[in-house]
Amino acid sequence: MFLDVLRRRNPAFILAAQELHQKGKIPANSYVLDLDAVTENARLIRTESDRLGLKVFAMTKQVSRQSGFARAVMAGGIERAVAVDMACAIACHNAGLRIGHLGHLVQVPRAEAAMAARDLAPDYWTVFSDDKAAEAAVAAHAAGRQQAILARVQTAGDIFYRGHEGGFAAEDAVAAARRIDALTGAQFAGITTFPAQLYDHASRKVRHTTNLATLQRTADALRRAGFADLEINAPGTTSLVTLQALADAGATQVEPGNGLHGTTPLHAVEDLPERPAVLYLS
């Protein structure tokens, strides 16, 4: 689906991959990354995020947490990653990326919470339940840390991929925030969901999901209850051209993944600022 845009916008990358393959430098049946383009893309996203006051965490799962990719992202100014699970967090940490966000799509296993708190020291740790919040708090306290906790919230009508469901009831968010704040070793920092936006095939645009509206309503309730300076983590189909809309909707954290290598669905139908930076060598 990206072949046309790749040929038009990054033809030198294709020629370089062909030459390297013909010289026996890279094997067939592999994915090839243009690390210079990744760095350029990361710099564009970081610059715009800074302008809008957004924290930006790189998602690396789409390229198997490849260490060269991580270094290219850091060269573009994005120094922190979001990790979908502990394997992802460890790979990013080993590649030099600090862990900005842990525990969202896959909760941190109880037996690995101590290592996560001690060795990875994430800026933010998402939990779906009181039990997981308690595990994070105990681990952080043992490591001599105060862990900033994000609560995943959800309500009827929200959209989730199969296996990604779960979280605190949005209607109970204020009570949940107070319970988290009462834990030794933890402090309530904000809320999150996924996906906050998705590509709409009919309109060929990226649209906010109902989940983002849930975040907005929940944030309003939390502020009325006295929780100020909330972090609003709003990942999903993120690229430079979606950042303004997310900031306008109240987001404070964004997590580009495919946007870093120019392959979100929107990149297939529009020429966005990020250049395509990945190809499959058959």
Side-chain angles (χ1 to χ4, degrees):
M1 72 189 274
F2 296 102
L3 184 57
D4 175 65
V5 66
L6 183 64
R7 292 172 65 184
R8 288 189 297 101
R9 299 198 60 206
N10 203 348
F13 176 36
I14 299 174
L15 295 175
Q18 289 176 334
E19 181 179 355
L20 289 168
H21 174 58
Q22 289 165 0
K23 290 181 176 179
K25 301 292 185 181
I26 52 177
N29 190 32
S30 63
Y31 285 89
V32 187
L33 291 166
D34 180 345
L35 298 182
D36 291 332
V38 169
T39 294
E40 177 187 327
N41 294 342
R43 186 173 293 114
L44 289 170
I45 292 171
R46 175 59 194 269
T47 299
E48 180 67 358
S49 295
D50 285 350
R51 186 185 73 82
L52 296 169
L54 297 169
K55 297 180 177 71
V56 55
F57 304 141
M59 174 62 77
T60 66
K61 68 181 176 67
Q62 292 93 343
V63 291
S64 300
R65 308 127 187 181
Q66 209 271 342
S67 59
F69 176 82
R71 289 191 294 271
V73 167
M74 287 187 284
I78 299 176
E79 300 173 346
R80 287 169 167 76
V82 51
V84 298
D85 54 23
M86 285 297 290
C88 185
I90 292 167
C92 290
H93 175 77
N94 289 342
L97 280 165
R98 291 187 59 183
I99 304 305
H101 185 196
L102 178 66
H104 191 185
L105 297 185
V106 179
Q107 294 280 269
V108 176
R110 180 176 63 253
E112 297 178 65
M115 189 266 278
R118 180 186 64 247
D119 299 339
L120 302 178
D123 294 338
Y124 300 95
W125 186 325
T126 283
V127 298
F128 286 36
S129 67
D130 287 314
D131 287 344
K132 300 309 285 186
E135 290 172 13
V138 168
H141 182 63
R145 301 179 55 243
Q146 184 82 355
Q147 180 62 57
I149 298 289
L150 300 179
R152 159 76 93 86
V153 296
Q154 52 82 32
T155 194
D158 283 354
I159 299 169
F160 298 105
Y161 298 137
R162 180 176 293 182
H164 290 188
E165 304 89 351
F168 294 93
E171 297 76 12
D172 186 46
V174 171
R178 288 172 175 155
R179 294 194 299 270
I180 291 170
D181 250 356
L183 296 171
T184 300
Q187 64 184 63
F188 176 74
I191 52 178
T192 183
T193 188
F194 177 79
Q197 53 184 11
L198 284 173
Y199 177 74
D200 177 63
H201 289 277
S203 65
R204 293 161 65 104
K205 299 292 182 183
V206 173
R207 304 291 189 192
H208 293 339
T209 66
T210 56
N211 304 34
L212 187 57
T214 298
L215 283 186
Q216 292 172 313
R217 290 194 304 272
T218 306
D220 288 343
L222 287 162
R223 292 186 186 104
R224 288 195 298 270
F227 290 94
D229 301 320
L230 286 174
E231 293 290 337
I232 309 297
N233 178 270
T237 321
T238 308
S239 68
L240 187 146
V241 300
T242 68
L243 297 179
Q244 182 70 63
L246 286 170
D248 290 345
T252 65
Q253 300 179 8
V254 294
E255 299 178 346
N258 285 312
L260 292 169
H261 37 87
T263 58
T264 74
L266 192 60
H267 284 87
V269 298
E270 292 186 22
D271 284 350
L272 304 187
E274 303 95 343
R275 285 194 301 147
V278 60
L279 62 78
Y280 171 65
L281 180 64
S282 67

